[in-house]
Every structure is written in structure tokens, then in C-alpha cells.
Amino acid sequence: MANNGVLDRSFAACSHPIRRSILERLSEGELSVGEATRDCGVSKPAISRHLKILEEAGTIVRVIDGRTHRLRLDGRSLDEAYKWMSNQRELWERKLDVVEDYLREQRETRSREEQG
């Protein structure tokens, strides 16, 4: 089972459109902070807060080279969230399959009773 703290931080990281946009951009490769956050439409302090959340979640890594801050995606924490969601999906699919089988049996029984 995944660590709930890791999951909470991963989901928080993905819960805002600006952070999702940054993650999507970084999925193409390493970028400078300016490249990763261009056209986000918010102030630099707001960008800093978003980046801090992404870093604390472990979804990005910042490498500082002089005055240049480079960002890269680190998908390991997102992998944990993906595994959790996949497990939940499988669980609910099994439950819904049982409900579907029950309803099919009920329809078939009713149909036989109406014909018979």
C-alpha cells in the first residue's frame, strides 16, 4: 500500500491547472524555470509557491547552475498515485461487474417468467 503522505502530496501537486501545466511541459524534458512557467499568467511569487508544492511532492527536481534554475520531472511520486488509482479502478470494475451480472440475471429471470 502506498504511503498516504506521498499520495496526498502527489494529488495536491496535480490539483491546480498551473501545476499540471508545468508538469506537462516538463514531461518533454528539462527546462529552465522561465521556460516551464512561461505564459502562466500569475506573479513570480505565485510561481514560486507552485514550484515549492511540486518540489515538496517530489514531482520535480530543481538544479541550480549559477543564476539559472533548471527543472526536471521526477515521476516516482506520480507513479505511486497512478498505482493507487489503478488499484481503485480495478476494485470498482470488479464491483460493477458483480452488479452487472446480478442485473442481467434479474432481467433473464423476469423474461423467463413473462414467457413461461
Side-chain angles (χ1 to χ4, degrees), residues 18 21-23 25-26 31-38 40 47 51 71:
I18 289 175
S21 174
I22 293 168
L23 292 173
R25 291 174 185 182
L26 292 174
L31 297 170
S32 70
V33 169
E35 293 166 333
T37 61
R38 184 171 288 123
C40 284
I47 290 294
L51 292 177
L71 304 173

Side-chain angles (χ1 to χ4, degrees), residues 91-104:
L91 170 74
W92 282 103
E93 284 178 349
R94 285 193 307 270
K95 288 181 179 189
L96 292 173
D97 286 345
V98 169
V99 171
E100 184 179 15
D101 291 345
Y102 172 78
L103 292 174
R104 185 181 313 106

Side-chain angles (χ1 to χ4, degrees), residues 7-16 19 53 57:
L7 285 177
D8 292 346
R9 287 186 298 274
S10 295
F11 286 125
C14 296
S15 70
H16 195 281
R19 293 192 291 271
I53 290 168

Side-chain angles (χ1 to χ4, degrees), residues 1 8 21 26 28 31 35 42 47 49-50 55 57 65 70 73 75 81 86-87 93-94 96 104 108-109 112 114-115:
M1 182 180 235
D8 292 346
S21 174
L26 292 174
E28 300 293 322
L31 297 170
E35 293 166 333
V42 295
I47 290 294
R49 287 190 298 275
H50 285 297
E55 286 177 289
D65 183 20
R70 305 224 26 104
L73 186 65
S86 294
N87 289 337
E93 284 178 349
R94 285 193 307 270
L96 292 173
R104 185 181 313 106
E108 290 170 0
T109 300
R112 283 192 302 272
E114 290 171 359
Q115 292 175 357

Side-chain angles (χ1 to χ4, degrees), residues 51-101:
L51 292 177
K52 181 179 179 184
I53 290 168
L54 291 170
E55 286 177 289
E56 288 175 351
T59 57
I60 64 170
V61 174
R62 183 189 305 240
V63 176
I64 302 171
D65 183 20
R67 295 181 63 193
T68 304
H69 291 225
R70 305 224 26 104
L71 304 173
R72 69 177 164 79
L73 186 65
D74 184 349
R76 289 178 290 180
S77 66
L78 295 175
D79 287 343
E80 287 298 317
Y82 177 77
K83 288 178 196 173
W84 183 86
M85 287 187 291
S86 294
N87 289 337
Q88 294 303 307
R89 179 180 178 185
E90 290 172 16
L91 170 74
W92 282 103
E93 284 178 349
R94 285 193 307 270
K95 288 181 179 189
L96 292 173
D97 286 345
V98 169
V99 171
E100 184 179 15
D101 291 345

